[in-house]
Amino acid sequence: MRHYRSVSIALTISALMMTVLLSGCLGRSGLDNTELTFSLPTTLSITRGASLLNTGISYESASDDAVWLNIGGRRALKRMGDSVSWKGSLFAGTNAELALRLVHIGEDKVDLAGTARITVHDVSPEAGGLVTTAPVTFSGPVAYGVAVDSYIPGTTLAYLGPAEEGAELSGLGNEYPYRRMGDSVIWEGRLRPGVYLRTELRTVQYDSKGLRLAGIATLWFGE
């Protein structure tokens, strides 16, 4: 299973790299960019008798080939493939739009899969350790185009421009600051209280105009 997941992620990143290379848009981002939006594929589970944290969506009971969910205080009979949508705040300072489908029905739990569009407000990145025990986690592919003297979104890392050794980054402390094509760029820390981010990126292309990266972003919500 791990092998197939690794292959899937690798193919996704390869596709993103092609997308970034074909795109001519380079964003200019600073630490004063206080709002970030992620659109991530996601799979969520709801245990029978419980609710999906902070959404008000709960799994009440099973009925033949369907389940009874409660969405916003109203009962909804859902079968395999049916949609389950929700908008609201999963955690303080965030907004989310969940566009999900019922992909598994069980006596003990149901599984939902789809896309989560998440906006984090009042972003003030701080590098440091993660709180990975958070009850809500989202992870998926991202791609960035970063102009010279601009920050990689959601991080304290900035692209300073090309050098003989490779793309030069600031914000790495005593770590080697240069990255060549295909090299990894990893950052983890806090975006705001209760919201944590880890980005695992690869350098796709760089020149005197900007830096392009693609990889995986993972968000944790909670203390």
Side-chain angles (χ1 to χ4, degrees):
M1 181 65 71
R2 289 183 180 178
H3 171 72
Y4 291 116
R5 183 175 181 273
S6 298
V7 171
S8 176
I9 290 175
L11 290 173
T12 300
I13 293 175
S14 296
L16 278 168
M17 286 182 173
M18 289 303 297
T19 300
V20 175
L21 280 171
L22 292 172
S23 171
C25 180
L26 291 170
R28 185 169 294 277
S29 173
L31 287 178
D32 57 348
N33 185 8
T34 59
E35 185 173 290
L36 286 174
T37 298
F38 300 85
S39 185
L40 304 173
T42 188
T43 301
L44 301 171
S45 298
I46 310 176
T47 304
R48 187 168 180 172
S51 298
L52 187 61
L53 186 69
N54 293 340
T55 66
I57 301 174
S58 62
Y59 174 21
E60 291 188 350
S61 61
S63 176
D64 296 328
D65 62 343
V67 292
W68 282 102
L69 301 182
N70 191 300
I71 305 174
R74 296 184 177 182
R75 299 184 77 216
L77 186 64
K78 295 289 183 177
R79 293 177 171 81
M80 286 286 289
D82 282 357
S83 65
V84 179
S85 301
W86 180 86
K87 292 183 180 180
S89 178
L90 288 170
F91 200 79
T94 70
N95 289 101
E97 297 180 22
L98 305 181
L100 308 172
R101 295 272 174 184
L102 188 62
V103 296
H104 170 75
I105 294 174
E107 285 291 329
D108 298 325
K109 71 179 181 72
V110 295
D111 294 329
L112 306 167
T115 302
R117 182 177 174 83
I118 300 163
T119 300
V120 184
H121 305 283
D122 299 323
V123 171
S124 182
E126 296 178 9
L130 300 171
V131 177
T132 58
T133 56
V136 181
T137 303
F138 295 95
S139 184
V142 292
Y144 300 125
V146 183
V148 173
D149 294 327
S150 296
Y151 288 87
I152 299 172
T155 79
T156 54
L157 307 179
Y159 176 52
L160 300 181
E164 183 177 348
E165 299 90 341
E168 184 177 2
L169 302 176
S170 69
L172 290 166
N174 293 325
E175 185 182 339
Y176 188 73
Y178 304 104
R179 299 293 189 274
R180 295 194 182 277
M181 292 273 289
D183 285 352
S184 61
V185 178
I186 297 175
W187 186 91
E188 60 183 33
R190 191 181 78 164
L191 294 180
R192 56 163 293 127
V195 183
Y196 300 88
L197 171 70
R198 176 179 172 86
T199 53
E200 302 175 67
L201 307 171
R202 291 279 176 178
T203 303
V204 177
Q205 189 267 342
Y206 63 91
D207 54 28
S208 60
K209 293 182 180 179
L211 168 69
R212 293 177 172 86
L213 310 110
I216 301 296
T218 303
L219 285 169
W220 287 267
F221 293 160
E223 300 293 350

